[in-house]
Amino acid sequence: MTNILSFVIVGHVDHGKSTLVGRLLYDTDSLSSDKIEEMRKRSTELGHDIEFAYLLDHLEEERVQGITIDTTQVFFKSKKRRYVIIDAPGHVEFVKNMVTGASQANTAILIIDAAQGVQEQTRRHAYILSLLGLRGVTVVINKMDLVGFDKCQFESIEKDITDFLNRIDVHVNVCIPIAAKTGDNVVSRSNEMNWYKGPTTMEALDAVEIDIRRDSATFIFPVQDVFKLDDERVILGTIESGSIRENEYVSVLPTLQKTKINKLKVFGREIAEASAGESIGVITQAPVFLDRGMVLVNDENDVVCSDTIQAHLFWMHPKSYALGDKVDIRIATQEVRCVIEMVVKKINSSTLELINAAEAEIKNLEVAQVKIKTKKAVMYKRFQDNQGVGRFVLVRDGSICAGGIII
Amino acid sequence: MTKTLDHLSRLENQSIFIIREAYSQFRNIAMLWSIGKDSTTLMWLVRKAFFGKVPFAVLHIDTGYKFKEIYDFRDTYAQQWGINLMVVKNDEAIAQGVCPKTGKFECCNQLKTEALKQTMDKYKFKALYLGIRRDEHGIRAKERVFSTRDEDFEWDYKNQSPELWDQYKTKATHEEHIRVHPLLGWTELDIWQYILRENIPIVSLYFAKQGRRYRSIGCETCCSPVASQADTVEKIVEELQTSTISERSGRAQDKESAYIMQKLRSLGYM
Ligand SMILES: Nc1nc2c(ncn2[C@@H]2O[C@H](COP(=O)(O)OP(=O)(O)OP(=O)(O)O)[C@@H](O)[C@H]2O)c(=O)[nH]1
């Protein structure tokens, strides 16, 4: 059980995300006895039946209003493996919190209220998932008790959502009728819906394979910092992809200088080789100048180094972007000034309607295909070829206001 | 060949990335060391991140009500690891008689939050490392890895900025400081398994004596031990894999009211 799957639960406000999380925890015996007691007590204090959502919604405002404001992460385990569940808020006002949660997930559950069907945030969240690079989702149709466990109602919503997801290139792993409140088809099989033969939610999650990154084998090492250790200059960073050995030669981007890796350093042990995911120190042959934001690669022909980027981005700040505004783009540890030079197209993130791209701004919650011009050349790859250097954020006044992927 | 990292190694590498990320942005950062298992694990990771050095000030908030074992442990390892230790105390409040008996909320707020505030002001620290974890307490599950506090130290938990992948809110504007949480994604079990793997020294209060041990340590006055036979790290790991009692159940602050932790934290408590 060395692997952990992290998944995010997204969907329209009140469709039952927090309840589903609570139920998953409860039915897998993942809750401590004092937490269950606390939940009972708080539920009665505020005059409700047992509310599983209380397990997740910890802010006073969240419990009193019955909505999730910010994303939460909780841990649990099934018989098969460990999980991190990310509960994301459904309210449109808190989309940035949903994005924060979803960007940490390996996979997603999209939840839809059986009585209400597909709604505005159902579609928006699904679209955001696709922009974050999540390609497969598990759909659960919740509150089946409210529609008399009706098969036709289930199938009609299943069709709606599948059509929508197909349009945005997201694959449906499976679509499951559930009632989170009573636990039907969450961990145990429902007695009310014998017409459904597929997996329960827990079985569906256990079947998800952790996406093994199919990044190319090129060694990519974004420089994070330079640390003076006694009289050595140690280059700090985390290997984004590929691997490296001592005495190999690398290129420095964007300057295109060549240098040799004299030594690899990790505290407390000797290493001669390091690979993707490892946070290491590197000592290069003098005298190249290295600083944060430069990137070491072993094959400069396998990466792009340019001042023009084609991308899809999602704007998530109330203050719109006006064409020509200067912001900072960050790709791994690179950070440079940039402008969005051209909007190729703009899309409403819920209806998928095309918005007049000639409009000189990108507003909150709009998705746009853009051409970005950076002040200096930056190193990147297409997202489909390398996740770490294929995605970016735009930063204004120290805060992230958009995120996107390079196409 | 790219090898796949095991779970603890992945956590370790990510935490080192976060520690270095914060240090590259803020050279005037400090770290809070409560001497508990989490912040001692954090110290271990800091030493790994900087090859055995701790390149910034380490603060110990001393309410005067800590266990003797804590003071001893602190002094031994501060010296052994070459730490620039600063002991932080709100002398004025202590002189005025603030203590657990005069009210726990006020005591925590004055002797911890206020004390820290005074030190941050005095030394103009722009950022602070803390060893909090999401699974400790519901309100902590809402935290970001980089989390801002305004000039009054308050946490605007209803309006946090987004955090995408491994891109964090950085550069605090002049009126705020940033809390950095490198252990946010670790669980209590991960911590103990890592302590076991790395053989990290840990204060003896965590190990059972006469059938009781502390699962969470703070002030002597507000912590009570839990029933346990676990007197080694191995046994603690084993105990956690079967326990159904939550970690902070021995902590007084968490019990008094459902939202006391939220209020303390929104005012700048750790
Ligand atoms: N009848 C019925 N009610 C349910 C079911 N699941 C959830 N609910 C109720 O639906 C309401 C909303 O549930 P939550 O879990 O808070 O919804 P949410 O999606 O987390 O809401 P936000 O996080 O604010 O977007 C609560 O009153 C739940 O009790 C179900 O299966 N059947």
Side-chain angles (χ1 to χ4, degrees), chain A residues 335-349:
Chain A
E335 176 162 0
V336 293
R337 286 254 116 163
C338 73
V339 291
I340 295 175
E341 219 179 34
M342 192 172 92
V343 177
V344 181
K345 62 181 181 193
K346 270 203 314 183
I347 300 159
N348 173 308
S349 58

Side-chain angles (χ1 to χ4, degrees), chain A residues 349-394:
Chain A
S349 58
S350 175
T351 60
L352 300 191
E353 269 173 76
L354 281 180
I355 306 166
N356 180 9
E359 229 176 56
E361 52 177 21
I362 305 172
K363 296 198 200 76
N364 200 12
L365 307 182
E366 283 177 355
V367 171
Q369 184 184 329
V370 296
K371 192 169 136 198
I372 298 171
K373 191 91 184 160
T374 58
K375 201 167 169 188
K376 285 190 320 199
V378 283
M379 173 274 175
Y380 62 86
K381 292 193 69 158
R382 288 187 311 172
F383 181 78
Q384 63 184 81
D385 299 328
N386 190 304
Q387 298 197 356
V389 294
R391 59 194 181 196
F392 64 91
V393 294
L394 297 182

Side-chain angles (χ1 to χ4, degrees), chain A residues 2-4 31-35 38 42 46 56-64 68-73 75 77 82 94 96-97 99-100 103-104 131-132 224-227 229-230 234 236-238 240 242-243 265-267 269 273-281 292 316 330-333 335 391-393 397-400 402-405, chain B residues 1-10 12-14 16-25 27 44 47-53 55 134-139 141-144 155 157-171 173 184-187 189-190 193 240-241 244-249 254-255 257-259 262-263:
Chain A
T2 52
N3 275 327
I4 288 203
L31 291 172
S32 58
S33 39
D34 49 324
K35 288 233 176 79
E38 193 203 327
R42 300 296 163 230
L46 292 169
L56 278 292
D57 292 344
H58 280 281
L59 301 174
E60 188 166 6
E61 293 81 351
E62 292 182 322
R63 289 182 179 173
V64 174
T68 307
I69 292 173
D70 208 337
T71 179
T72 304
Q73 296 193 7
F75 301 84
K77 57 178 189 255
R82 293 169 69 186
F94 308 122
K96 66 180 167 54
N97 298 337
V99 174
T100 297
S103 78
Q104 305 302 324
L131 275 175
L132 293 173
Q224 211 179 354
D225 205 347
V226 178
F227 184 71
L229 183 69
D230 308 322
V234 187
L236 306 182
T238 301
E240 199 58 68
S243 59
K265 276 182 92 80
V266 169
F267 181 60
R269 66 193 162 93
E273 181 177 19
S275 55
E278 293 188 273
S279 297
I280 57 168
R292 181 179 170 90
M316 50 181 167
R330 287 202 209 138
I331 303 173
T333 63
E335 176 162 0
R391 59 194 181 196
F392 64 91
V393 294
D397 304 328
S399 286
I400 294 172
I405 57 180
Chain B
M1 257 309 288
T2 301
K3 53 183 180 281
T4 27
L5 298 173
D6 61 68
H7 177 59
L8 287 179
S9 303
R10 204 162 38 218
E12 173 188 85
N13 281 292
Q14 278 165 358
I16 293 175
F17 172 82
I18 294 165
I19 290 165
R20 289 171 170 176
E21 200 62 9
Y23 184 65
S24 88
Q25 300 288 332
R27 290 298 198 234
W44 192 260
R47 292 175 63 242
K48 284 205 173 195
F50 303 110
F51 312 98
K53 301 248 187 299
R134 286 204 177 93
D135 77 327
E136 267 178 280
H137 191 284
I139 188 76
K142 304 272 177 191
E143 275 286 4
R144 299 281 195 266
W155 179 35
Y157 51 79
K158 283 191 288 183
N159 191 28
Q160 303 197 70
S161 29
E163 208 162 77
L164 261 80
W165 307 300
D166 48 9
Q167 297 289 354
Y168 307 110
K169 160 124 183 92
T170 43
K171 297 199 188 80
T173 41
L184 209 53
W186 295 55
T187 64
L189 182 60
D190 294 329
Q193 285 177 329
L240 289 177
Q241 283 167 325
T244 61
I245 306 288
S246 69
E247 182 178 2
R248 295 179 65 96
S249 60
D254 296 21
K255 285 190 189 153
S257 130
Y259 306 115
Q262 172 176 350
K263 290 199 187 91

Side-chain angles (χ1 to χ4, degrees), chain A residues 80-93:
Chain A
K80 190 179 162 202
R81 66 176 159 212
R82 293 169 69 186
Y83 287 94
V84 181
I85 317 182
I86 304 168
D87 181 34
H91 198 284
V92 61
E93 210 183 309

